[in-house]
């Protein structure tokens, strides 16, 4: 399968490495796109030195389309999803979306759904930095009464301006910096709580969210509580931050990698809902 990657950062680089090393079988990289093309050049140099001449480094979608990808992996930003994903889907190209927070915006969600319906393309959303979306999806068949996400990250993971806007100029101890609706949280912390959107799409209800900044914390922690008539679930995931981007959990990149393996290689036995 021919694959293009949008976003040459922490997650994009793991995807590129996995394609060029052959870890993802039957996958061929056709193009990389980023607002900083030098980042794409660097990862091609590091991970794809022998085939880099065949891989386009793009600044715009036309260049990416010329490389004829069958799948685009978005690992850039919510803004990139709004700007590019409906156009990519309209061409009939399937996409994997990491910046899933963008899909909590009703206009973007509708645009994406319409592009898929018109062209027959599909969107895949990896579980990302959490666990348990399979059970949440299953429970949504009978309705979910309550869903809460608590996220704890080191204070340096949060955008300084956002913290100041919320009235937290300096955070010297564990502090609750936000409590409220999930759709508001993904807009406020666009690079920190994409998992809210994945949970929301799986559950069919918007989670209640608490966000904590802790200067002592070395891991990114997500706690999820789900209550339904059928089951009560409590999940706690403690993630190592990605070395290239502390806002991103390493698990999120591995989750995208695993999803790609599932899309590209049809295994005879598939585990998980
Ligand atoms: N779903 C999840 O569980 C989950 C977990 C972690 C991160 N994420 C999201 O995935 C995305 C990628 O994460 P990352 O850690 O690799 O980020 P990163 O900051 O390391 O890399 C993002 C790259 O995309 C590029 N980029 C940003 N906006 C762009 C645009 N409009 N057009 C082209 N290039 C653009 C940046 O220059 C950068 O090189 C982020 O939006 C992040 O919030 C999702």
């Amino acid at each position: 399968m021919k694959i293009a990657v949008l976003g040459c950062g922490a997650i994009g680089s793991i995807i590129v490495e996995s394609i060029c090393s052959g870890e993802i079988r039957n996958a061929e990289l056709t193009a990389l796109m980023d607002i900083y093309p030098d980042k794409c050049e660097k990862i091609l140099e590091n991970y794809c030195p022998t085939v880099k001449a065949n891989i386009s480094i793009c600044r715009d979608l036309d260049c990416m389309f010329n490389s004829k990808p069958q799948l685009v992996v978005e690992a850039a930003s919510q803004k990139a999803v709004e700007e590019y994903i409906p156009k990519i889907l309209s061409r009939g190209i399937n996409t994997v979306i990491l910046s899933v927070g963008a899909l909590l915006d009703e206009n973007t969600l509708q645009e994406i759904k319409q592009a898929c319906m018109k062209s027959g393309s599909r969107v895949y959303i990896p579980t990302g930095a959490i666990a348990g979306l399979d059970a949440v999806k299953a429970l949504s068949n009978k309705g979910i009464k309550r869903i809460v996400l608590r996220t704890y990250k080191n204070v340096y993971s949060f955008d300084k301006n956002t913290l100041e806007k919320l009235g937290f100029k300096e955070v010297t101890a564990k502090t609750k910096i936000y409590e409220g609706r999930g759709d508001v949280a993904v807009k406020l912390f666009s690079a920190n709580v994409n998992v809210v959107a994945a949970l929301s799409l799986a559950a069919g209800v918007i989670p209640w969210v608490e966000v904590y900044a802790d200067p002592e914390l070395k891991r990114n922690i997500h706690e999820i509580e789900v209550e339904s008539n059928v089951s009560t679930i409590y999940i706690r995931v403690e993630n190592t931050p990605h070395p290239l981007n502390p806002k991103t959990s390493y698990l999120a990149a591995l989750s995208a990698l695993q999803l790609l393996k599932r899309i590209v290689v049809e295994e005879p036995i598939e585990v998980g809902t």
Side-chain angles (χ1 to χ4, degrees):
M1 184 178 286
K2 294 182 171 209
I3 299 177
V5 176
L6 171 55
C8 293
I11 295 178
S13 60
I14 286 185
I15 301 301
V16 169
E17 181 184 13
S18 308
I19 296 174
C20 285
S21 69
E23 187 182 347
I24 305 179
R25 282 182 284 137
N26 304 331
E28 182 195 335
L29 198 59
T30 66
L32 297 180
M33 179 169 153
D34 199 292
I35 34 178
Y36 301 110
D38 52 312
K39 293 182 82 173
C40 306
E41 263 167 48
K42 208 169 148 197
I43 60 176
L44 283 188
E45 194 62 54
N46 285 344
Y47 301 124
C48 318
T50 56
V51 288
K52 70 180 176 127
N54 306 328
I55 302 165
S56 309
I57 293 179
C58 298
R59 286 169 186 270
D60 57 46
L61 281 189
D62 284 339
C63 163
M64 181 191 273
F65 292 148
N66 282 339
S67 78
K68 306 217 173 339
Q70 296 161 293
L71 180 80
V72 172
V73 180
E74 178 283 323
S77 62
Q78 290 189 27
K79 201 161 165 269
V81 172
E82 287 161 23
E83 195 174 344
Y84 303 125
I85 297 299
K87 293 178 186 141
I88 295 170
L89 291 166
S90 296
R91 293 249 172 166
I93 303 169
N94 295 339
T95 66
V96 171
I97 298 182
L98 264 301
S99 309
V100 60
L103 272 56
L104 282 196
D105 179 86
E106 197 48 38
N107 288 338
T108 307
L109 182 64
Q110 288 314 322
E111 235 191 301
I112 283 178
K113 279 185 175 170
Q114 275 169 18
C116 287
M117 281 187 298
K118 273 191 195 150
S119 67
S121 52
R122 297 194 67 187
V123 170
Y124 300 91
I125 296 167
T127 304
I130 50 171
L133 278 194
D134 50 352
V136 173
K137 273 197 289 185
L139 290 175
S140 72
N141 287 300
K142 288 288 170 203
I144 287 172
K145 288 198 288 196
R146 176 175 167 271
I147 179 160
V148 177
L149 171 78
R150 279 184 219 99
T151 291
Y152 305 81
K153 290 190 179 183
N154 191 293
V155 64
Y156 64 64
S157 293
F158 296 99
D159 176 58
K160 266 191 159 181
N161 292 334
T162 308
L163 286 175
E164 282 192 17
K165 212 166 80 184
L166 293 169
F168 301 101
K169 211 162 182 204
E170 254 188 273
V171 177
T172 52
K174 183 166 123 185
T175 305
K176 190 198 284 183
I177 56 170
Y178 175 81
E179 177 166 4
R181 281 175 59 97
D183 48 351
V184 179
V186 287
K187 286 213 163 87
L188 263 177
F189 308 101
S190 63
N192 298 98
V193 291
N194 276 285
V195 291
V196 175
L199 270 176
S200 179
L201 293 168
V205 288
I206 292 178
W208 190 254
V209 174
E210 294 174 26
V211 182
Y212 294 81
D214 182 346
E216 301 295 323
L217 203 56
K218 302 254 181 318
R219 295 185 143 197
N220 296 337
I221 299 174
H222 298 293
E223 289 174 347
I224 299 157
E225 285 177 25
V226 185
E227 264 179 48
S228 82
N229 287 336
V230 180
S231 307
T232 300
I233 297 179
Y234 173 72
I235 297 165
R236 179 180 163 94
V237 187
E238 294 193 12
N239 290 321
T240 306
H242 192 292
L244 295 180
N245 181 0
K247 300 184 193 88
T248 286
S249 299
Y250 202 87
L251 175 64
L254 295 182
S255 172
L257 165 61
Q258 189 57 32
L259 175 63
L260 272 186
K261 286 184 175 176
R262 181 156 71 79
I263 296 170
V264 172
V265 184
E266 296 254 326
E267 295 289 352
I269 296 177
E270 200 164 318
V271 184
T273 310

